[in-house]
Amino acid sequence: MVGGQQSKQNRTPSPQNAKRSYNYDAVMRLNNIENCLIDMKKSRDDVIKNIDKVLEREKAKLALKSSSELRLSRYRAEIADQNKALEEDRQRINSLRENIRLRRIALEDARSRYQTGNEYLEESHKILGRARVDVLSEALFVTTSKLCARQKELVADLLTIYPIEQVQSENFSFKILGVPLPNSVFTGCDEEQVATALGFTCHLINMLAYYLGVPLKFPMTPMSSKSIIRDPISTSLSSSR
């Protein structure tokens, strides 16, 4: 087998099997094609580099754009939250305004009713005052009349208890309850009778002052013939000395 192959290789090729060699034009064309391929390769490399640079710049822009979009979306979310809170505040403010309006209406109504009530009250006070004056005047008149009548009855009773009679033989001399009472001159008079008459007089004056409501300048202590009339002014003047 090997010998057969070597015999084939050692054979001289025939003219029909011989290949044509490249001529000058073909070589030049190949050279030009090779140079074109080299230039195209360089151009391709330059284009690839430019594309890489462009991609890097676009990548940075995309990253910046992505960051901007992220911030923008965050801002939009915050704006949405703020708008929601603002809307809630507006609703709350509207509710408060409505409450204030209703309260104002109620206050105006209450003020109107208060003024009307005050007018009624003032008119009632006037009517009551007039009625009270009339009633008090009538009651005062009735009471005064009854008081005067009662005072007359009491004074009449006192005159019945302590009758006062004038002594016919002497002017300005009287008797009280039948006991003579001289007129400031007690010479020659019975001292016991004078003391008794003065005691009756003291009791009569004290009761008259009580019944008639007349204050006495000199307080009295009626004790029959031992009655006492005090003079606080003279006593205070003597004690101050």
Side-chain angles (χ1 to χ4, degrees):
M1 292 293 294
V2 176
Q5 290 178 358
Q6 288 178 354
S7 62
K8 289 181 181 179
Q9 289 178 356
N10 293 325
R11 289 179 185 176
T12 303
S14 62
Q16 289 82 9
N17 294 328
K19 294 182 179 180
R20 296 179 61 185
S21 177
Y22 292 102
N23 56 17
Y24 178 79
D25 294 331
V27 172
M28 291 302 295
R29 283 196 302 271
L30 290 174
N31 190 20
N32 291 331
I33 292 171
E34 185 178 3
N35 291 330
C36 289
L37 290 174
I38 293 171
D39 292 337
M40 290 177 65
K41 185 178 180 181
K42 290 182 179 180
S43 299
R44 184 199 62 183
D45 294 338
D46 293 338
V47 170
I48 291 172
K49 290 180 180 179
N50 291 331
I51 290 173
D52 291 337
K53 291 180 181 179
V54 171
L55 288 177
E56 288 295 330
R57 289 197 300 269
E58 293 298 327
K59 185 178 180 181
K61 290 181 180 180
L62 289 174
L64 181 61
K65 183 177 180 181
S66 177
S67 177
S68 300
E69 289 178 352
L70 182 62
R71 287 197 300 270
L72 183 60
S73 62
R74 190 184 305 118
Y75 292 155
R76 286 176 178 173
E78 291 179 358
I79 291 172
D81 294 338
Q82 292 296 328
N83 287 332
K84 184 177 179 180
L86 181 61
E87 185 64 25
E88 291 178 355
D89 292 338
R90 285 177 179 172
Q91 292 179 0
R92 192 179 301 109
I93 290 171
N94 292 331
S95 178
L96 291 175
R97 284 178 178 173
E98 183 65 18
N99 290 334
I100 291 172
R101 187 182 67 83
L102 295 176
R103 289 184 180 180
R104 187 173 296 167
I105 293 174
L107 183 61
E108 291 295 332
D109 187 20
R111 185 177 298 170
S112 177
R113 287 188 281 107
Y114 175 74
Q115 291 178 354
T116 305
N118 270 346
E119 292 175 359
Y120 289 156
L121 183 61
E122 290 177 0
E123 186 65 24
S124 300
H125 278 165
K126 291 179 181 178
I127 296 173
L128 180 61
R130 289 194 295 268
R132 183 178 294 173
V133 169
D134 295 339
V135 171
L136 288 177
S137 299
E138 184 179 357
L140 180 62
F141 176 75
V142 173
T143 304
T144 304
S145 300
K146 290 181 179 180
L147 179 61
C148 291
R150 183 58 179 165
Q151 286 176 341
K152 289 179 181 179
E153 293 176 359
L154 293 173
V155 170
D157 291 340
L158 285 176
L159 290 178
T160 302
I161 296 172
Y162 294 109
I164 298 175
E165 301 173 355
Q166 186 175 2
V167 179
Q168 296 180 357
S169 61
E170 298 180 5
N171 294 328
F172 300 106
S173 295
F174 298 89
K175 293 188 297 183
I176 181 170
L177 197 58
V179 179
L181 180 61
N183 186 9
S184 302
V185 179
F186 303 103
T187 304
C189 298
D190 188 355
E191 293 183 357
E192 291 185 0
Q193 289 185 350
V194 172
T196 301
L198 290 175
F200 292 158
T201 304
C202 178
H203 190 210
L204 176 62
I205 293 172
N206 191 55
M207 294 304 296
L208 283 173
Y210 176 74
Y211 289 148
L212 299 177
V214 178
L216 297 175
K217 294 182 180 180
F218 302 98
M220 295 181 178
T221 304
M223 291 187 300
S224 189
S225 60
K226 296 182 179 180
S227 299
I228 300 173
I229 299 176
R230 292 187 297 277
D231 186 3
I233 299 176
S234 301
T235 303
S236 61
L237 290 176
S238 61
S239 62
S240 62
R241 293 177 183 177

